[in-house]
Amino acid sequence: MAKKVISTAAAPAAIGPYSQAIQAGDTVYVSGQLPIDPATGEFAGPTIEEQTEQSLKNIEQILKAADMTMADVVKTTVLLADIADFGAMNGVYAKFFTENCPAHAAFQVAAIPKGALVEIEAVAVK
């Protein structure tokens, strides 16, 4: 099965040797998205709510480049700097996934690149 790199200027460029997303058949694997605003190169804001929203907007834009939407997401993994932020993160998350919600896992990790509060990856299927 051939793989296709998915890339868009509407989301932050990869900060290492990886792609924003890879499509393999009908499945798109979106790399973990930091809360970086692609217009400024900076975090969208200091709060978990602002950062969660930006990470999800970045995923949304990458999926758009693959002719997909958030409704196509079947699984997400959320990395949190502090698991105490789970409720606030989930409040924002619920605005992006309103029905037939994807499978979801969330973990507290020791550190997230660039000192972010959240990083979110996704898997979507057409």
Side-chain angles (χ1 to χ4, degrees), residues 23-101:
Q23 183 170 0
D26 291 337
T27 304
V28 172
Y29 301 88
V30 180
S31 292
Q33 292 301 301
L34 294 174
I36 296 172
D37 181 335
T40 65
E42 302 294 327
F43 286 159
T47 69
I48 188 64
E49 293 88 355
E50 291 167 308
Q51 290 194 16
T52 299
E53 183 170 348
Q54 187 63 55
S55 290
L56 290 167
K57 283 180 178 178
N58 293 342
I59 290 170
E60 196 169 47
Q61 289 302 312
I62 293 166
L63 290 173
K64 184 177 177 183
D67 295 322
M68 298 176 92
T69 70
M70 297 298 261
D72 296 312
V73 174
V74 296
K75 171 75 169 77
T76 63
T77 304
V78 179
L79 307 177
L80 293 165
D82 185 349
I83 199 68
D85 287 335
F86 179 80
M89 175 280 299
N90 231 21
V92 175
Y93 183 95
K95 295 176 185 175
F96 285 80
F97 300 107
T98 57
E99 58 182 53
N100 298 320
C101 299

